[in-house]
Amino acid sequence: MPPPAPSKPSSPGSSRAASPRPAWLRWLLRLLLWGIGLAVAGAVAVVLVIAVALSMAYPNLPDVSELADYRPKLPMRVYSAEGALLGEFGEERRTLTPIQEIPQVMKDAVLAIEDTRFFQHGGVDYKGMVRAVLANLGRVKSQGASTITMQVARNVYLSSEKTFTRKIYEILLTFKLEHLLSKNQILEIYMNQIYLGNRAYGFAAASEAYFGKPLKAVSVAEAAMLAGLPKAPSAYNPISNPKRARIRQLYIIDRMEENHFITPQQAQEARKEELTVRNGSNNTRVHAEYVAEMARQLIFAQYGSEAYTRGLNVYTTLNAADQDAAYQSLRRGIMDYERRQHYRGPEKFVSLPTAAQELEEAIDDALADHPDNGDLMSAMVLEASPRKIIAVRQNGDSVEITGEGLKPAQSGLSDKAPPNIKLRRGAIIRVAKTAKNTWEITQLPEVEGALVAIDPRSGAIKALVGGFDFDKNKFNHATQAWRQPGSSFKPFIYSAALEKGFTPATVVNDAPLFFGAGVTGGQPWEPKNYDGRYDGPMTMRTGLAKSKNMVSIRILQAVGPKNAQEWVSRFGFDADKHPPYLTMALGAGSVTPMQMAVGFSVFANGGYRVNPWLIARVTDHKGRVLSETQPPALAQSQRAIEPRNAFIMDSLLQEVTRSGTAARAQATLKRPDLYGKTGTTNDSVDAWFAGFQPTIAAVTWIGYDTPRNLGSRETGGGLSLPVWISFMDRALKGVPVMESTVPPGVVNVGGEWFYEEFSRNAGVPSLGLEDHSASAGTGSLPSQEAPAPEERKRILDLFRN
């Protein structure tokens, strides 16, 4: 047998490969495979769970299709005839602005701080999320990852609670919005919907609220300030927190520069720009709060609660310049009167701490309850002496009052001043700037007033101020205050007399009258002239110019109180508020300033009675006209008196403003086409002036809500006439002087106007001359015209001048 062949030696490597693996390695491989399998299975399970959850949640998402035609709640806005904003009503202050009308600088500012990649991502910015996480972990300035689309989803449909479920819904809604709407539509909704503080929703409303300008006019600096509001409208409010708002604004300007929305030069200019933020003291909006409220009531009566959400634009007949003149004139007139009154003391006393921080907080809290009232600003007294007062205003400005500025409150600086008026540390007072740019102490007035002006040719209300301050007293004195008109009512009695044969040349005896108890049925009545003087026989023209009470009473005697009662109703007065007694001659009935404006308009327009009206046009938020008022032509209005009656009354009322109790009118305004009549009631309770120029009739009234004496020397000519003159001075700027056209049936004889049939002594040549000798003590009154017993109090409350 041959020997066996020798075997080949094995290599060392092959020997190791053939050897079994260590046990620990096998276990490690198994664990790794199991881990990967479990991880995959878990991921699949999570995906399945999320898929199931999403499939269940998605059908429950709200329908976002309505956002394709975005219609938020829009307030009702009231405007003047020229388009000046007078007021707005609704829960949300908002101006719906299409995306193409939003300036690029505003969009850039918002994108720079809220969502730089808005036009690149699909609703959820994953890159932004990673960047925000890294930035927050690195403890640099905190960044959010909420996109604009996510904010729209949250603000429109979801609550503000921070839960995992709400976040899921937010993301789902985001995808749904991105699928349904274009990027511009989403951005438009965001910029109109977002709340920005100060009752402003959307950037257009915020621009008006904070800067008093339309959004299209904002600068880079202003846009950056507005763009800082969405994160925290209260914390970054430029009115209440200017320092924090400024820090936020600068950061946004940096972001705009970093993202190349603005150039470095624009950024530098924006950082340096000083912003003028709108607040209570520099609010330039037309003061027409009473008119806005009137418009609100009229529109609400027509549209109901929808008036506050449909975005209605209500255009009134008001002239903004006339309204401003009326507001300023009435306030100035009331404050001129207030300076003559005694000092009633501080509004409140507060115990002030000594620590600086506590002192500042105490002052802020106290003055918050006493806000500024226009140019009457509240202040806290820190130091007080007979020679100087140091006070601080709510904005932190220090005020020093010395010399003439202390005079209005001199009684409060006396050592003997009672505690309730003593000026001392902790007293809340009112201060105002003087014409010399110094400070003076003042006080909120207790007296009230009204001014109303209408176009006598159409009845359109051109200006209306219903009181000193709407927030202080919402009662509209122009339309709601029934007051006795005093001598301002006499022209309507004279108008009735013209139809009974009286002429401006009729001589009437200005002599005392006395009506005994047997005539009055009660206490004797002895009416007097305002000045206590009796000038004897005078023409009816002079009697009205001088406002002689005896002349008016004798004229009413001759006309007949019942005839006069019917006559005055032609002018729009309520007959039942003017009982047919001789006291009517002295204006003892009840009227409103608006009624007086309508009544005097009859004289101004040649004899037509016009109805006052306010709403000219109503449109929706897109400018579509919903209703429009076309006033009837004057010739189609109701004729109250004949043109010749109106013409002669104009001549008499012109005499009042030329040489009579209102002579200051023509002397100040330097034009002859002014007509009117003063009125002061008994005990100077009410002060009136009612007058007109052919293009505008205006009435002013001043008095206390609870009737009381204005002061022994206060009259309509001294109180209300200056207000009327101040208003007319501005309202008639550029209005040419107008001359009256002589109507048919009127002739001029010897420089006086007559009805043609009474021009040859056919009318009433004289009145009361026959009883001149007896009038001082035995004047008689026809029994059928004697005041009834129930009229006794009215007789005792007679009016003068």
Side-chain angles (χ1 to χ4, degrees):
M1 272 183 82
S7 61
K8 295 181 179 179
S10 60
S11 66
S14 60
S15 174
R16 283 197 300 269
S19 64
R21 292 179 179 148
W24 65 269
L25 183 59
R26 291 197 302 272
W27 281 107
L28 181 61
L29 290 173
R30 289 178 182 176
L31 287 174
L32 183 60
L33 291 173
W34 275 101
I36 292 173
L38 289 174
V40 171
V44 171
V46 169
V47 170
L48 290 174
V49 169
I50 292 176
V52 172
L54 294 182
S55 65
M56 295 177 64
Y58 200 84
N60 295 324
L61 292 176
D63 182 12
V64 299
S65 60
E66 61 183 20
L67 285 183
D69 186 19
Y70 176 59
R71 293 183 181 180
K73 291 182 180 179
L74 299 174
M76 176 179 74
R77 288 188 171 88
V78 181
Y79 297 93
S80 70
E82 309 88 350
L85 180 65
L86 305 181
E88 55 185 341
F89 302 90
E91 296 178 2
E92 302 175 356
R93 180 186 294 168
R94 191 197 309 273
T95 301
L96 185 57
T97 309
I99 190 66
Q100 60 269 21
E101 295 179 16
I102 299 175
Q104 189 63 42
V105 66
M106 190 69 252
K107 290 185 281 189
D108 289 343
V110 169
L111 293 176
I113 190 62
E114 294 294 333
D115 193 352
T116 308
R117 299 185 63 255
F118 173 71
F119 285 98
Q120 283 76 50
H121 63 66
V124 177
D125 187 3
Y126 304 104
K127 290 183 179 179
M129 284 183 175
V130 173
R131 186 177 61 251
V133 169
L134 294 176
N136 295 338
L137 289 176
R139 299 185 181 277
V140 297
K141 182 179 284 288
S142 176
Q143 296 184 14
S146 184
T147 66
I148 283 177
T149 312
M150 294 168 73
Q151 291 185 58
V152 169
R154 180 167 63 246
N155 292 331
V156 176
Y157 293 107
L158 302 174
S159 67
S160 59
E161 62 176 347
K162 295 182 179 180
T163 64
F164 182 73
T165 303
R166 198 222 64 175
K167 196 66 179 177
I168 290 177
Y169 273 98
E170 181 180 309
I171 294 174
L172 291 176
L173 273 173
T174 297
F175 290 141
K176 197 169 185 179
L177 287 172
E178 288 277 346
H179 175 72
L180 178 70
L181 306 176
S182 69
K183 286 288 188 179
N184 274 332
Q185 284 179 303
I186 295 171
L187 187 58
E188 178 181 291
I189 294 168
Y190 175 81
M191 300 195 75
N192 282 282
Q193 179 73 21
I194 193 75
Y195 177 63
L196 299 171
N198 207 24
R199 281 184 53 234
Y201 288 78
F203 287 94
S207 179
E208 290 285 355
Y210 293 111
F211 301 121
K213 60 167 61 176
L215 186 61
K216 63 183 179 182
V218 297
S219 64
V220 173
E222 290 166 335
M225 182 71 79
L226 294 176
L229 291 165
K231 183 177 181 181
S234 177
Y236 299 118
N237 186 313
I239 296 176
S240 57
N241 288 302
K243 291 181 180 178
R244 295 188 66 181
R246 172 64 172 164
I247 294 171
R248 179 76 170 164
Q249 177 209 31
L250 292 175
Y251 174 64
I252 293 174
I253 292 173
D254 291 342
R255 294 276 295 165
M256 293 177 74
E257 183 182 2
E258 291 170 9
N259 288 279
H260 307 293
F261 289 129
I262 56 176
T263 65
Q265 182 181 352
Q266 288 177 307
Q268 190 63 23
E269 292 173 354
R271 294 184 188 101
K272 293 180 179 179
E273 182 178 338
E274 292 187 11
L275 303 187
T276 301
V277 179
R278 189 180 192 180
N279 55 43
S281 61
N282 64 8
N283 192 335
T284 57
R285 192 177 73 184
V286 178
H287 282 282
E289 293 84 356
Y290 291 96
V291 174
E293 174 60 18
M294 290 170 63
R296 183 198 68 79
Q297 293 178 16
L298 291 170
I299 297 301
F300 181 79
Q302 183 175 358
Y303 291 93
S305 58
E306 282 191 353
Y308 307 133
T309 59
R310 287 184 58 179
L312 300 178
N313 296 309
V314 182
Y315 293 90
T316 67
T317 58
L318 215 68
N319 179 280
D322 289 351
Q323 179 64 25
D324 181 66
Y327 176 80
Q328 298 294 344
S329 298
L330 182 63
R331 281 181 70 95
R332 189 182 307 113
I334 287 178
M335 289 311 299
D336 286 344
Y337 168 78
E338 188 60 40
R339 289 185 184 93
R340 301 192 290 271
Q341 308 312 303
H342 70 277
Y343 186 59
R344 295 183 291 274
E347 296 179 15
K348 189 177 180 180
F349 294 95
V350 178
S351 297
L352 295 178
T354 54
Q357 183 63 35
E358 294 178 5
L359 175 63
E360 186 177 331
E361 292 178 358
I363 292 173
D364 287 345
D365 291 343
L367 294 183
D369 295 329
H370 298 263
D372 292 347
N373 187 302
D375 52 358
L376 305 183
M377 292 163 274
S378 61
M380 178 73 72
V381 174
L382 300 180
E383 299 177 23
S385 71
R387 293 181 177 274
K388 182 173 67 175
I389 285 179
I390 296 178
V392 61
R393 290 181 50 209
Q394 190 171 19
N395 63 2
D397 289 351
S398 180
V399 174
E400 183 175 302
I401 310 166
T402 59
E404 293 291 320
L406 296 174
K407 280 192 173 181
Q410 201 64 50
S411 59
L413 294 169
S414 169
D415 292 337
K416 299 180 180 179
N420 63 314
I421 69 167
K422 179 69 173 177
L423 285 165
R424 58 185 183 272
R425 179 180 171 85
I428 297 177
I429 61 173
R430 292 281 161 175
V431 297
K433 272 288 184 68
T434 68
K436 298 179 180 178
N437 204 33
T438 60
W439 292 96
E440 69 175 355
I441 291 183
T442 185
Q443 56 189 348
L444 289 174
E446 291 183 345
V447 75
E448 276 293 355
L451 191 157
V452 57
I454 68 175
D455 186 336
R457 300 162 297 184
S458 65
I461 297 173
K462 294 300 181 181
L464 186 148
V465 185
F468 181 80
D469 181 75
F470 182 78
D471 291 330
K472 175 173 168 277
N473 187 347
K474 292 179 171 55
F475 183 77
N476 191 337
H477 299 84
T479 60
Q480 297 175 299
W482 291 92
R483 308 294 292 221
Q484 293 178 314
S487 293
S488 63
F489 197 73
K490 289 176 181 177
F492 306 107
I493 304 301
Y494 277 57
S495 173
L498 293 179
E499 300 303 311
K500 297 295 183 180
F502 283 76
T503 72
T506 298
V507 177
V508 184
N509 194 12
D510 176 35
L513 285 168
F514 176 81
F515 305 103
V519 175
T520 65
Q523 294 182 350
W525 177 37
E526 187 176 6
K528 299 182 182 300
N529 285 328
Y530 170 72
D531 57 8
R533 295 175 49 189
Y534 303 94
D535 296 336
M538 63 179 60
T539 64
M540 196 167 82
R541 175 180 292 277
T542 301
L544 185 63
K546 292 186 175 181
S547 198
K548 291 293 186 174
N549 289 342
M550 301 306 107
V551 173
S552 297
I553 292 173
R554 281 189 164 91
I555 290 174
L556 182 57
Q557 265 187 293
V559 170
K562 287 192 178 296
N563 291 331
Q565 182 190 42
E566 183 279 327
W567 187 261
V568 301
S569 65
R570 293 167 174 250
F571 296 85
F573 299 110
D574 299 340
D576 60 346
K577 292 187 180 295
H578 299 274
Y581 304 113
L582 289 184
T583 51
M584 190 195 307
L586 307 183
S590 295
V591 300
T592 67
M594 179 65 81
Q595 279 190 333
M596 291 293 281
V598 171
F600 273 77
S601 290
V602 174
F603 297 136
N605 64 30
Y608 293 98
R609 176 180 163 186
V610 294
N611 294 317
W613 58 288
L614 179 63
I615 307 299
R617 187 173 76 259
V618 179
T619 70
D620 64 13
H621 71 280
K622 292 185 177 179
R624 293 176 295 214
V625 177
L626 302 180
S627 64
E628 193 165 9
T629 300
Q630 293 294 338
L634 189 60
Q636 297 175 338
S637 300
Q638 177 183 349
R639 176 163 285 286
I641 59 177
E642 291 301 314
R644 62 180 189 169
N645 187 301
F647 176 83
I648 291 182
M649 284 307 306
D650 288 356
S651 174
L652 294 174
L653 293 170
Q654 188 179 38
E655 189 69 36
V656 175
T657 65
R658 187 185 70 83
S659 65
T661 56
R664 192 191 310 183
Q666 289 195 36
T668 303
L669 298 178
K670 308 297 183 184
R671 55 189 301 156
D673 57 341
L674 302 175
Y675 314 78
K677 183 68 185 75
T678 55
T680 311
T681 64
N682 195 46
D683 290 331
S684 297
V685 171
D686 296 274
W688 292 82
F689 186 78
F692 59 89
Q693 189 271 351
T695 63
I696 189 165
V699 173
T700 57
W701 164 85
I702 291 177
Y704 289 98
D705 277 339
T706 302
R708 60 184 171 96
N709 190 292
L710 288 164
S712 59
R713 297 185 179 182
E714 305 294 353
T715 65
L719 273 180
S720 291
L721 176 60
V723 175
W724 188 88
I725 291 174
S726 176
F727 168 72
M728 283 295 202
D729 186 36
R730 293 174 62 181
L732 295 178
K733 288 289 186 189
V735 178
V737 172
M738 299 182 66
E739 295 183 5
S740 301
T741 302
V742 181
V746 176
V747 296
N748 189 288
V749 178
E752 187 58 273
W753 297 104
F754 296 85
Y755 281 6
E756 190 170 11
E757 62 268 31
F758 300 144
S759 61
R760 303 298 178 187
N761 295 323
V764 179
S766 64
L767 181 68
L769 301 185
E770 66 282 354
D771 67 351
H772 179 53
S773 60
S775 61
T778 60
S780 60
L781 180 70
S783 59
Q784 71 270 20
E785 296 177 1
E790 64 269 17
E791 188 61 11
R792 295 171 191 171
K793 185 177 184 301
R794 186 180 297 274
I795 291 175
L796 295 177
D797 293 334
L798 285 177
F799 276 64
R800 62 188 181 189
N801 199 36

